[in-house]
Amino acid sequence: MIAPTPPTAELHLHVEGTIEAELLVRLADRHGLPLPSRDPAVLRERYAHFVDLRSFLDVYYANLAVLRTEEDFHELATGYLDRALKAGVRRAEVFFDPQTHVQHGVPLEAVIHGLSSAFSAAEETHGVSAALILCFLRDLGPEAAEEILRAALPFREHFIGVGLDSAEVGYPPSLFTGVYAMAAAEGLHRVAHAGEEGGAEYVREALDLLHVERVDHGIRAMEDPELVARLRDERIPLTVCPLSNVSLRAVDTLGEHPLPRMLDEGLLATVNSDDPAYFGGYVDDNYRAVARELGLDRPRLAQLARNSVDATFAPEEDKRRWHAEIDAWL
Ligand code: ADE
Ligand code: ZN
């Protein structure tokens, strides 16, 4: 039987956002830590009521206190890979937020080794090519970002790039010019969240000042026709997260999501899950949701999947193989 959703790359996924309520309870029990409830159903119910990015981040960061050891991080990453395999993911470029864990007293080495031991073996264990992207928390400011990058450089071979996430408005990309230049000098890839809650000017700054190779979210770029033309002409990928955008009210309903317009404009838009444990689904669920609510047919889903492959930082020979799989799916 042909899978209902195409083989795909996933380029906008926070590994910490894959902490399902059951794992949350298991880790809290393991370390004797409090939670608002020990009932996964009650915890999940709390995730249905975000009103914006900040209200989500408060829950997300509080939950991350249960991640204490290298084994915890390994388990988190393996849980994601198990689910990614079922979702048809061929390549995952996965965000992690080391500053949060270091603030909780976890050694950086435990975070990186726990995640990378799962991801570096993922091709053999799961048939999923996987790599890590270290994200700076923009609300902690540029000096803290430089500090965590310096601390992570001894583990340079375990991550392929840097990103910028957390509360967007009030923390424009321009604050992070220096740390992105440092990352570029180390040969790291550069991406950044921009245009999720922040306006089109945040997307421009990410391009002009941080020299990002992809924009995470970027949906508010659609408010600026000149910027849309530039994104198309320069083939800048946008890692769009439809179910996340509805949960955090960046759009009112999925039926009003700009994704079809992005494709019509010839943008390199991709579909991703962001924080699937919180937003109602993994990348295949996002594909199904946009097919249903936005009327995207199989050729359009295949286009989104091809875009995702083109937007990866993977070798060209891998991209050719994944393109052939998408063609076969179609
Ligand atoms: N961290 C985890 N998910 C995020 C999102 N959607 N936006 C910004 N920071 C995040
Ligand atoms: Zn995100």
Side-chain angles (χ1 to χ4, degrees):
M1 199 187 85
I2 299 171
T5 60
T8 188
E10 169 137 77
L11 305 175
H12 188 153
L13 173 100
H14 303 262
V15 72
E16 293 92 344
T18 69
I19 191 160
E20 293 289 345
E22 288 77 8
L23 178 59
L24 195 60
V25 171
R26 197 160 70 241
L27 294 178
D29 286 348
R30 180 179 296 169
H31 301 301
L33 294 169
L35 283 178
S37 167
R38 250 45 197 181
D39 181 345
V42 171
L43 292 172
R44 262 194 300 275
E45 162 60 20
R46 294 183 72 209
Y47 306 160
H49 304 291
F50 304 123
V51 293
D52 57 13
L53 178 57
R54 185 72 259 172
S55 65
F56 157 68
L57 290 171
D58 290 343
V59 175
Y60 168 87
Y61 291 128
N63 283 346
L64 297 185
V66 303
L67 290 161
R68 310 292 322 167
T69 66
E70 185 171 325
E71 291 69 36
D72 298 343
F73 284 92
H74 185 89
E75 208 169 316
L76 178 71
T78 303
Y80 166 65
L81 289 169
D82 292 343
R83 184 62 183 80
L85 175 59
K86 290 194 194 114
V89 173
R90 300 299 192 269
R91 166 78 174 175
E93 296 178 0
V94 177
F95 300 141
F96 71 115
D97 287 336
Q99 286 163 291
T100 312
H101 312 303
V102 170
Q103 277 180 338
H104 290 154
V106 182
L108 183 58
E109 186 176 357
V111 177
I112 295 184
H113 282 161
L115 295 174
S116 74
S117 57
F119 287 134
S120 62
E123 189 99 57
E124 295 84 64
T125 56
H126 291 77
V128 177
S129 162
L132 283 167
I133 293 177
L134 183 157
C135 282
F136 307 121
L137 301 185
R138 60 208 310 159
D139 43 347
L140 297 186
E143 275 140 42
E146 286 179 24
E147 193 181 320
I148 196 73
L149 180 56
R150 256 185 242 109
L153 285 179
F155 310 102
R156 166 72 184 80
E157 80 261 31
H158 297 296
F159 57 102
I160 62 166
V162 297
L164 187 63
D165 64 2
S166 201
E168 185 180 4
V169 175
Y171 303 97
S174 55
L175 294 174
F176 299 90
T177 307
V179 71
Y180 270 69
M182 259 172 79
E186 294 295 333
L188 288 159
H189 289 292
R190 293 157 318 278
V191 301
H193 284 52
E196 178 185 20
E197 284 191 344
E201 71 278 10
Y202 279 51
V203 176
R204 281 183 194 285
E205 281 193 10
L207 295 171
D208 291 334
L209 304 178
L210 307 187
H211 306 292
V212 297
E213 298 157 87
R214 288 197 301 250
V215 173
D216 297 313
H217 292 295
I219 55 171
R220 291 200 56 198
M222 297 309 286
E223 297 166 12
D224 181 335
E226 242 177 63
L227 180 58
V228 169
R230 176 178 178 189
L231 292 168
R232 176 181 53 241
D233 295 346
E234 295 181 17
R235 280 183 62 77
I236 307 288
L238 302 173
T239 64
V240 180
C241 305
L243 291 176
S244 162
N245 293 153
V246 176
S247 285
L248 303 188
R249 307 207 187 163
V251 300
D252 289 337
T253 66
L254 197 49
E256 293 161 82
H257 199 282
L259 185 64
R261 223 157 29 92
M262 296 170 116
L263 290 177
D264 290 343
E265 292 279 3
L267 299 187
L268 204 66
T270 67
V271 164
N272 307 270
S273 64
D274 207 3
D275 301 284
Y278 295 93
F279 301 148
Y282 286 77
V283 68
D284 52 334
D285 300 309
N286 275 269
Y287 272 101
R288 272 190 288 273
V290 296
R292 189 178 60 243
E293 299 295 326
L294 295 168
L296 298 188
D297 57 12
R298 285 175 75 87
R300 301 274 269 180
L301 299 184
Q303 184 62 54
L304 287 163
R306 283 193 201 98
N307 289 354
S308 77
V309 167
D310 289 343
T312 66
F313 299 130
E316 289 304 318
E317 67 196 74
D318 288 339
K319 293 187 187 187
R320 276 194 291 276
R321 199 173 69 246
W322 298 324
H323 273 297
E325 289 192 54
I326 295 165
D327 291 343
W329 174 84
L330 185 60

